[in-house]
Amino acid sequence: MTISIIIVAAPVILYFAYKLLYGTDTPHIKNLPEIPGLPLFGSLLEFGTNHAKVAQNLAKKYGPVFQVRLGNRRIVFANSFDSVKHLWITNQSALISRPKLHTFHTVVSSSQGFTIGTSPWDESCKNRRKAAATALNRPAVQSYMPLIDLESNVSIKELLRDSKGGQIDLDPRAYWQRYALNTSLTLNYGYRIDGDKDDKLLKEITDVERGVSNFRSTSNNWQDYIPLMRLWSGQSKEAITFRERRDVYMDRLLKTLKEKIDAGTDKPCITGNILRDPEAKLNEAEIKSIGLTMVSAGLDTVPGNLIMGIAYLSTPHGQTIQKRAYAAIQEAYPNNDAWHACIHEEKIPYITALYKEILRYWTVIPICLPRVSIKPIVWENATIPAGTTFYMNAYAADYDVSHFKDPHLFDPERYLNIPDGAGTPHYGYGAGSRMCVGSHLANRELFTAFVRLISAFEFTPPVDKRDEPVMDCLKANAIPTSLTLEPKYFKVGFKPRDKTVLEKWIRESEEKTRSLM
Ligand code: HEM
């Protein structure tokens, strides 16, 4: 009797043990190189906290596209410029969905819903993406430029004040976090934080969004890959705390806007337009999702690029680039009116090239937001089935030697004299059907900030060597497991080029934007 039970039970136990140790959400893909992994963990230990670097190195042995088992999830990694182009752009109608991940989708997002960037593709996602894309298209962004005038002016005024006219080195991070956050808050809720860079709400939102970003990363949440770990994971408790803190300000922003609409005192804004529009097909949950997207999407990314761009310009090599950039501004605007002109137009090719190079060199989302395919995709001899999860190693693609000459060199010149229609300049904004919707807005935020900063100041290396910035895209990240680059502490000198002229520009911008305060 006992022997017969064992004979029957053994294969079942072996089957479940095998499933537990080696099973994956999608089956092995034929004819696609696979990274060998351990039972249960797959390659999680090998990938560690630095997925971008490890995958970049593995691609040298296994080729630009490989499959890897992370816990029980099978992932297809793309690591070169051309492979990303093939999978994300040529096959964009197939690579249009996003995966659901345990920590982010079940724990963090149960109250405010998913952002657009974390939503699987369905009718609701399509409607939200369309609403955001309309609110962020070129003509719409041009109409928001007075806000960018206001916010860049406020930050530069404070840099001038706090550096005591260039005598004290400053940590630039909070000034530019507020720049990005206030732009998003005003656009979406008609509300801005009018405190300085130490404002409590600014600190709360940046702290919480930084924490949440960690729960979205590919390397921080092992319980997303190993379901067993969900039984005792302390991560879930931490995620709940962040969710509760996030609910407080997100609910407050929406409630305040609704009260102002009822009282007739609201300022024009995206959520206000949707709430007032009887034709709008978006429900309360979808409106919340758009709000969350607006608050979080620009907060991690715009400042990361701006801050690390300033850091680079302060280095010895950056001094040469600053001189070239300043000369380009003077050449385009010999009457010294770039400060105001940059609000109306983007006509300084070197500054456009500078921010493109910043977006490439400081690829702030090194492993781009994950995708799921909805149709089969062919890569060389492999047919990758629908339902497969894809990770774009945007860092490796942006540093691909077969596409970029000297990718480790910071060189804006690479983006000068590029013919129209030359294709994607970099993967800082991702690519294809779910590419960043906010790229026009972000480009204008970066262009304006750099024209004004470079017109206003010379950036100098910090006096104390311990305050020097780290100049490597991955090593500069204070939280390596975060989804986005979180710049490490550093300081820079902000020496006004001409204090009298700068103060005049600041006064003029204050005058123009007074009604927005
Ligand atoms: C320099 C600043 C920014 C960078 C580097 C950036 C980068 C990215 C990246 C890499 C993606 C994923 C794209 C993909 O899967 O291919 C993304 C998605 C997205 N971004 Fe941005 N972003 C920036 C600013 C913004 C801003 C300011 C907004 C809006 C206010 C925004 C809104 C979005 C949205 C809505 C998505 C999701 C698109 C979708 O899933 O369909 N982004 N962004």
Side-chain angles (χ1 to χ4, degrees), residues 88 96 98 115-119 121 125 129 132 136 180 184 187 216 293-303 305 359 362-365 368-371 392 394 427-439 441-443 445-446:
W88 265 255
I96 200 171
R98 307 264 188 209
T115 58
I116 299 169
T118 51
S119 296
W121 190 243
C125 177
R129 190 180 151 94
L136 294 167
S184 297
L187 281 187
R216 286 176 64 183
T293 305
M294 291 291 174
V295 173
S296 61
L299 180 60
D300 299 333
T301 50
V302 176
N305 279 292
L359 285 157
W362 299 110
T363 303
V364 296
I365 311 190
C368 194
L369 311 187
R371 294 280 183 94
M392 176 204 295
Y427 293 122
Y429 290 125
S433 48
R434 300 290 296 269
M435 190 189 143
C436 178
V437 177
S439 61
L441 174 64
N443 285 342
E445 286 185 67
L446 292 172

Side-chain angles (χ1 to χ4, degrees), residues 271-346:
T271 305
N273 291 346
I274 299 171
L275 288 171
R276 283 174 181 284
D277 179 3
E279 307 270 288
K281 288 194 206 108
L282 300 168
N283 60 33
E284 177 90 4
E286 291 168 333
I287 292 172
K288 277 186 170 185
S289 159
I290 293 179
L292 199 59
T293 305
M294 291 291 174
V295 173
S296 61
L299 180 60
D300 299 333
T301 50
V302 176
N305 279 292
L306 245 163
I307 291 162
M308 294 318 295
I310 293 172
Y312 198 92
L313 292 176
S314 75
T315 64
H317 180 228
Q319 304 299 317
T320 323
I321 293 167
Q322 274 188 68
K323 282 202 187 86
R324 175 86 169 80
Y326 187 62
I329 294 173
Q330 297 293 103
E331 196 191 326
Y333 297 97
N335 297 335
N336 220 9
D337 50 5
W339 178 276
H340 295 300
C342 67
I343 298 298
H344 307 291
E345 58 191 23
E346 181 171 333

Side-chain angles (χ1 to χ4, degrees), residues 84-95:
V84 169
K85 191 170 161 196
H86 176 80
L87 298 168
W88 265 255
I89 298 176
T90 311
N91 285 285
Q92 57 178 306
S93 65
L95 204 52

Side-chain angles (χ1 to χ4, degrees), residues 252-272:
R252 198 178 107 192
L253 286 165
L254 189 57
K255 188 166 165 268
T256 309
L257 173 62
K258 284 181 174 171
E259 284 167 1
K260 284 189 181 164
I261 291 178
D262 289 343
T265 55
D266 59 309
K267 292 186 180 159
C269 63
I270 295 168
T271 305

